[in-house]
Amino acid sequence: MKTTRLIALFILSLSASYATMAAQPLNVSMIQLIATPEKYQGKRVRMMAFLRIEFEGNAIYLHKEDYEQAIYSNGLWIDLPKAISNDKALTDRYVLVEGVFDGTRHGHLGLWSGTITDVTTLEPWHP
């Protein structure tokens, strides 16, 4: 009986450890996501990007110039929580973003190279 409890406790601790590791985001660049979307499909990722919040155009871009020149393929649509989508202090700046990558969704009019969903971190980047 004691052995069974020890085995059960060991299995529970392993699963808790695995769950903690699985929840950790992968540090990636947008280049990796755009070039090999299948590798990151459904995974939690973290990256630096230029954020633009606007009606039918919430997106992150590799560079500020990609937004200014409307190079949508160098960007990802971003599903922002309502509280953040009205935060003008975050728009037009580089941010640290963490969320789940979906390479099958391409945002409004299908212009972007994928989507970031379930955003849990969105912070201004201060180098």
Side-chain angles (χ1 to χ4, degrees):
M1 185 69 167
K2 197 173 193 180
T3 306
T4 306
R5 284 186 186 170
L6 284 175
I7 291 171
L9 184 60
F10 177 71
I11 290 171
L12 281 173
S13 69
L14 279 179
S15 12
S17 253
Y18 178 75
T20 301
M21 288 185 333
Q24 293 297 316
L26 299 169
N27 290 313
V28 298
S29 74
M30 287 189 58
I31 295 169
Q32 291 172 291
L33 295 177
I34 293 168
T36 56
E38 67 285 347
K39 186 175 175 183
Y40 300 98
Q41 180 63 32
K43 295 187 179 173
R44 181 156 292 284
V45 294
R46 180 188 305 133
M47 75 204 86
M48 299 301 308
F50 181 80
L51 173 66
R52 174 64 184 182
I53 300 173
E54 65 182 52
F55 179 68
E56 296 182 346
N58 292 343
I60 53 174
Y61 296 89
L62 185 58
H63 299 100
K64 178 181 180 179
E65 292 79 9
D66 294 321
Y67 161 70
E68 292 172 343
Q69 299 300 317
I71 305 173
Y72 301 114
S73 59
N74 282 353
L76 301 171
W77 181 264
I78 187 166
D79 284 339
L80 295 174
K82 288 214 183 279
I84 295 175
S85 63
N86 295 322
D87 188 348
K88 297 303 179 194
L90 290 171
T91 195
D92 296 332
R93 65 184 315 163
Y94 286 90
V95 295
L96 173 67
V97 61
E98 182 180 311
V100 176
F101 177 70
D102 185 346
T104 65
R105 293 179 48 209
H106 301 283
H108 185 66
L109 300 176
L111 297 172
W112 286 267
S113 292
T115 298
I116 299 295
T117 64
D118 301 320
V119 175
T120 55
T121 301
L122 191 63
E123 302 170 355
W125 179 246
H126 301 290

